[in-house]
Amino acid sequence: MANLRVQIEISKGAEKIPLNKLAPVVTDVQLFLFMLSEDLGLGVTVESWAGTDFGSSSLIFTAEKSEPVTIQQIEEFNNAFASISTEHPAPKLRRATIVQYAKIAAPIDVQEAVSFGLFPAVEDVGFGIDEIAELHGAELLPALRWIQLTKSKAAEIQAEVQANVRAYGALQGIVHSVFLGSRPPFFNLREKSTGALVKCIYGPTVYPELAAALQRMNAIIHVFGYTSTDLVDRKIEDMEVSKIVLAPVLRESEFEGLFGSDRQFTGGLTTQEFINNVRDRGHQSP
């Protein structure tokens, strides 16, 4: 097992840090580490993260998770942490966790930064960072993976998280539930390809089409309109419906009509001859 640690440095080089700036940064860092650990299934409590190895000159300390973790969990934590600064955050991260990370930069000035040093995944040797430095020399300490959070970077992250893509498209599925009394009224569509529920907002002009669709049990419908897609969670949040079309039901006579409709498909054989030929091939030894 190993210890999960993150070194944190606020306002590097500053001799003094106003408390009205220090307190919210530390509080937001604690909440972010809690949420990130929760996203990754590391099992956290309020006391899970504690400060240690406090240094002088600006605020430097190490946040350490009280419960031991595995090497693999440290690697996953570090990669997920680092991914927030990219355009492709780790899939396990909630949107709220990413927003909380950006919130850490709110109290700092434009020229300042909050820096995070991610410790590499190594087996726990039973010593703190300062003790290892005393025994072996600071130059032998493993190099940290540093990530800087500035006010401008936080604004970029927030813009990326909050940006939804709106586009006209179509969905196919079954009406799962209808909420007539809501304002605006909507129904949930069980999307056929993914099984996800999509909130479909509709107006008075679409109501007759929805009512017609509900006359047929478990009817498959095509829904057209403008979708709003969350880029972070990679899912459709809702659709403003402009049209609903019932998918046609294939009657038995139409189904039977498929057989023999393409005479070239069987290579000149009748349908029955072709089926018999295929079945005979299926029983041949390889």
PDB file of all heavy atoms in Angstrom, residues 259 271-285:
ATOM      1  N   PHE A 259     -39.344 -11.411 -49.404  1.00  0.00           N
ATOM      2  CA  PHE A 259     -38.786 -12.631 -50.002  1.00  0.00           C
ATOM      3  C   PHE A 259     -39.035 -12.619 -51.510  1.00  0.00           C
ATOM      4  O   PHE A 259     -40.169 -12.457 -51.958  1.00  0.00           O
ATOM      5  CB  PHE A 259     -39.410 -13.876 -49.360  1.00  0.00           C
ATOM      6  CG  PHE A 259     -39.066 -14.033 -47.912  1.00  0.00           C
ATOM      7  CD1 PHE A 259     -39.949 -13.622 -46.929  1.00  0.00           C
ATOM      8  CD2 PHE A 259     -37.845 -14.567 -47.534  1.00  0.00           C
ATOM      9  CE1 PHE A 259     -39.634 -13.759 -45.589  1.00  0.00           C
ATOM     10  CE2 PHE A 259     -37.519 -14.703 -46.193  1.00  0.00           C
ATOM     11  CZ  PHE A 259     -38.413 -14.297 -45.230  1.00  0.00           C
ATOM     12  N   THR A 271     -36.173 -18.911 -53.492  1.00  0.00           N
ATOM     13  CA  THR A 271     -35.904 -18.619 -52.078  1.00  0.00           C
ATOM     14  C   THR A 271     -35.679 -19.900 -51.299  1.00  0.00           C
ATOM     15  O   THR A 271     -34.746 -20.003 -50.487  1.00  0.00           O
ATOM     16  CB  THR A 271     -37.088 -17.839 -51.471  1.00  0.00           C
ATOM     17  OG1 THR A 271     -37.257 -16.621 -52.189  1.00  0.00           O
ATOM     18  CG2 THR A 271     -36.834 -17.527 -50.002  1.00  0.00           C
ATOM     19  N   GLN A 272     -36.542 -20.918 -51.524  1.00  0.00           N
ATOM     20  CA  GLN A 272     -36.407 -22.168 -50.788  1.00  0.00           C
ATOM     21  C   GLN A 272     -35.114 -22.891 -51.132  1.00  0.00           C
ATOM     22  O   GLN A 272     -34.442 -23.461 -50.261  1.00  0.00           O
ATOM     23  CB  GLN A 272     -37.610 -23.077 -51.060  1.00  0.00           C
ATOM     24  CG  GLN A 272     -37.679 -24.286 -50.128  1.00  0.00           C
ATOM     25  CD  GLN A 272     -37.779 -23.871 -48.663  1.00  0.00           C
ATOM     26  OE1 GLN A 272     -38.630 -23.059 -48.304  1.00  0.00           O
ATOM     27  NE2 GLN A 272     -36.887 -24.398 -47.821  1.00  0.00           N
ATOM     28  N   GLU A 273     -34.732 -22.877 -52.447  1.00  0.00           N
ATOM     29  CA  GLU A 273     -33.479 -23.514 -52.849  1.00  0.00           C
ATOM     30  C   GLU A 273     -32.282 -22.832 -52.207  1.00  0.00           C
ATOM     31  O   GLU A 273     -31.334 -23.496 -51.766  1.00  0.00           O
ATOM     32  CB  GLU A 273     -33.351 -23.461 -54.387  1.00  0.00           C
ATOM     33  CG  GLU A 273     -34.300 -24.397 -55.109  1.00  0.00           C
ATOM     34  CD  GLU A 273     -34.277 -24.187 -56.612  1.00  0.00           C
ATOM     35  OE1 GLU A 273     -33.831 -23.094 -57.055  1.00  0.00           O
ATOM     36  OE2 GLU A 273     -34.689 -25.091 -57.361  1.00  0.00           O
ATOM     37  N   PHE A 274     -32.342 -21.521 -52.147  1.00  0.00           N
ATOM     38  CA  PHE A 274     -31.233 -20.776 -51.539  1.00  0.00           C
ATOM     39  C   PHE A 274     -31.112 -21.098 -50.042  1.00  0.00           C
ATOM     40  O   PHE A 274     -30.020 -21.312 -49.521  1.00  0.00           O
ATOM     41  CB  PHE A 274     -31.450 -19.270 -51.736  1.00  0.00           C
ATOM     42  CG  PHE A 274     -30.363 -18.412 -51.148  1.00  0.00           C
ATOM     43  CD1 PHE A 274     -29.155 -18.244 -51.807  1.00  0.00           C
ATOM     44  CD2 PHE A 274     -30.538 -17.782 -49.916  1.00  0.00           C
ATOM     45  CE1 PHE A 274     -28.145 -17.467 -51.258  1.00  0.00           C
ATOM     46  CE2 PHE A 274     -29.545 -17.009 -49.368  1.00  0.00           C
ATOM     47  CZ  PHE A 274     -28.344 -16.840 -50.048  1.00  0.00           C
ATOM     48  N   ILE A 275     -32.256 -21.158 -49.338  1.00  0.00           N
ATOM     49  CA  ILE A 275     -32.251 -21.475 -47.906  1.00  0.00           C
ATOM     50  C   ILE A 275     -31.703 -22.876 -47.681  1.00  0.00           C
ATOM     51  O   ILE A 275     -30.884 -23.102 -46.782  1.00  0.00           O
ATOM     52  CB  ILE A 275     -33.676 -21.340 -47.326  1.00  0.00           C
ATOM     53  CG1 ILE A 275     -34.105 -19.862 -47.331  1.00  0.00           C
ATOM     54  CG2 ILE A 275     -33.731 -21.908 -45.910  1.00  0.00           C
ATOM     55  CD1 ILE A 275     -35.551 -19.648 -46.908  1.00  0.00           C
ATOM     56  N   ASN A 276     -32.163 -23.832 -48.499  1.00  0.00           N
ATOM     57  CA  ASN A 276     -31.675 -25.211 -48.357  1.00  0.00           C
ATOM     58  C   ASN A 276     -30.179 -25.287 -48.601  1.00  0.00           C
ATOM     59  O   ASN A 276     -29.463 -26.018 -47.915  1.00  0.00           O
ATOM     60  CB  ASN A 276     -32.414 -26.137 -49.329  1.00  0.00           C
ATOM     61  CG  ASN A 276     -33.870 -26.309 -48.960  1.00  0.00           C
ATOM     62  OD1 ASN A 276     -34.252 -26.084 -47.809  1.00  0.00           O
ATOM     63  ND2 ASN A 276     -34.695 -26.698 -49.931  1.00  0.00           N
ATOM     64  N   ASN A 277     -29.703 -24.526 -49.580  1.00  0.00           N
ATOM     65  CA  ASN A 277     -28.282 -24.521 -49.912  1.00  0.00           C
ATOM     66  C   ASN A 277     -27.450 -23.983 -48.744  1.00  0.00           C
ATOM     67  O   ASN A 277     -26.402 -24.530 -48.396  1.00  0.00           O
ATOM     68  CB  ASN A 277     -28.044 -23.690 -51.175  1.00  0.00           C
ATOM     69  CG  ASN A 277     -26.617 -23.838 -51.698  1.00  0.00           C
ATOM     70  OD1 ASN A 277     -26.043 -24.922 -51.603  1.00  0.00           O
ATOM     71  ND2 ASN A 277     -26.074 -22.783 -52.260  1.00  0.00           N
ATOM     72  N   VAL A 278     -27.939 -22.911 -48.132  1.00  0.00           N
ATOM     73  CA  VAL A 278     -27.237 -22.316 -46.987  1.00  0.00           C
ATOM     74  C   VAL A 278     -27.230 -23.270 -45.812  1.00  0.00           C
ATOM     75  O   VAL A 278     -26.215 -23.450 -45.126  1.00  0.00           O
ATOM     76  CB  VAL A 278     -27.893 -20.974 -46.595  1.00  0.00           C
ATOM     77  CG1 VAL A 278     -27.313 -20.458 -45.285  1.00  0.00           C
ATOM     78  CG2 VAL A 278     -27.692 -19.937 -47.694  1.00  0.00           C
ATOM     79  N   ARG A 279     -28.338 -23.922 -45.553  1.00  0.00           N
ATOM     80  CA  ARG A 279     -28.430 -24.863 -44.432  1.00  0.00           C
ATOM     81  C   ARG A 279     -27.511 -26.055 -44.648  1.00  0.00           C
ATOM     82  O   ARG A 279     -26.867 -26.535 -43.714  1.00  0.00           O
ATOM     83  CB  ARG A 279     -29.882 -25.334 -44.257  1.00  0.00           C
ATOM     84  CG  ARG A 279     -30.789 -24.269 -43.681  1.00  0.00           C
ATOM     85  CD  ARG A 279     -32.224 -24.718 -43.633  1.00  0.00           C
ATOM     86  NE  ARG A 279     -33.080 -23.740 -42.976  1.00  0.00           N
ATOM     87  CZ  ARG A 279     -34.399 -23.799 -42.937  1.00  0.00           C
ATOM     88  NH1 ARG A 279     -35.032 -24.821 -43.529  1.00  0.00           N
ATOM     89  NH2 ARG A 279     -35.098 -22.875 -42.319  1.00  0.00           N
ATOM     90  N   ASP A 280     -27.435 -26.509 -45.884  1.00  0.00           N
ATOM     91  CA  ASP A 280     -26.540 -27.644 -46.179  1.00  0.00           C
ATOM     92  C   ASP A 280     -25.083 -27.267 -45.950  1.00  0.00           C
ATOM     93  O   ASP A 280     -24.302 -28.030 -45.397  1.00  0.00           O
ATOM     94  CB  ASP A 280     -26.726 -28.104 -47.637  1.00  0.00           C
ATOM     95  CG  ASP A 280     -28.059 -28.802 -47.842  1.00  0.00           C
ATOM     96  OD1 ASP A 280     -28.641 -29.239 -46.825  1.00  0.00           O
ATOM     97  OD2 ASP A 280     -28.523 -28.892 -48.999  1.00  0.00           O
ATOM     98  N   ARG A 281     -24.709 -26.033 -46.325  1.00  0.00           N
ATOM     99  CA  ARG A 281     -23.330 -25.567 -46.094  1.00  0.00           C
ATOM    100  C   ARG A 281     -23.022 -25.481 -44.617  1.00  0.00           C
ATOM    101  O   ARG A 281     -21.923 -25.740 -44.167  1.00  0.00           O
ATOM    102  CB  ARG A 281     -23.112 -24.212 -46.775  1.00  0.00           C
ATOM    103  CG  ARG A 281     -23.010 -24.280 -48.285  1.00  0.00           C
ATOM    104  CD  ARG A 281     -22.226 -23.080 -48.814  1.00  0.00           C
ATOM    105  NE  ARG A 281     -22.827 -21.819 -48.418  1.00  0.00           N
ATOM    106  CZ  ARG A 281     -23.700 -21.146 -49.154  1.00  0.00           C
ATOM    107  NH1 ARG A 281     -24.108 -21.637 -50.325  1.00  0.00           N
ATOM    108  NH2 ARG A 281     -24.184 -20.007 -48.739  1.00  0.00           N
ATOM    109  N   GLY A 282     -24.072 -25.136 -43.849  1.00  0.00           N
ATOM    110  CA  GLY A 282     -23.864 -24.993 -42.408  1.00  0.00           C
ATOM    111  C   GLY A 282     -23.579 -26.317 -41.731  1.00  0.00           C
ATOM    112  O   GLY A 282     -22.988 -26.363 -40.657  1.00  0.00           O
ATOM    113  N   HIS A 283     -23.988 -27.420 -42.354  1.00  0.00           N
ATOM    114  CA  HIS A 283     -23.757 -28.740 -41.741  1.00  0.00           C
ATOM    115  C   HIS A 283     -22.520 -29.412 -42.283  1.00  0.00           C
ATOM    116  O   HIS A 283     -22.160 -30.513 -41.860  1.00  0.00           O
ATOM    117  CB  HIS A 283     -24.983 -29.637 -41.970  1.00  0.00           C
ATOM    118  CG  HIS A 283     -26.166 -29.264 -41.145  1.00  0.00           C
ATOM    119  ND1 HIS A 283     -27.082 -28.317 -41.545  1.00  0.00           N
ATOM    120  CD2 HIS A 283     -26.548 -29.707 -39.918  1.00  0.00           C
ATOM    121  CE1 HIS A 283     -28.012 -28.194 -40.604  1.00  0.00           C
ATOM    122  NE2 HIS A 283     -27.720 -29.008 -39.608  1.00  0.00           N
ATOM    123  N   GLN A 284     -21.853 -28.797 -43.278  1.00  0.00           N
ATOM    124  CA  GLN A 284     -20.640 -29.398 -43.816  1.00  0.00           C
ATOM    125  C   GLN A 284     -19.497 -29.261 -42.839  1.00  0.00           C
ATOM    126  O   GLN A 284     -19.387 -28.305 -42.104  1.00  0.00           O
ATOM    127  CB  GLN A 284     -20.277 -28.724 -45.152  1.00  0.00           C
ATOM    128  CG  GLN A 284     -21.252 -29.048 -46.286  1.00  0.00           C
ATOM    129  CD  GLN A 284     -20.900 -28.287 -47.551  1.00  0.00           C
ATOM    130  OE1 GLN A 284     -19.921 -27.559 -47.582  1.00  0.00           O
ATOM    131  NE2 GLN A 284     -21.690 -28.496 -48.603  1.00  0.00           N
ATOM    132  N   SER A 285     -18.626 -30.285 -42.895  1.00  0.00           N
ATOM    133  CA  SER A 285     -17.452 -30.258 -42.021  1.00  0.00           C
ATOM    134  C   SER A 285     -16.458 -29.236 -42.569  1.00  0.00           C
ATOM    135  O   SER A 285     -16.295 -29.116 -43.780  1.00  0.00           O
ATOM    136  CB  SER A 285     -16.772 -31.633 -41.952  1.00  0.00           C
ATOM    137  OG  SER A 285     -17.684 -32.582 -41.447  1.00  0.00           O
TER     138      SER A 285
END
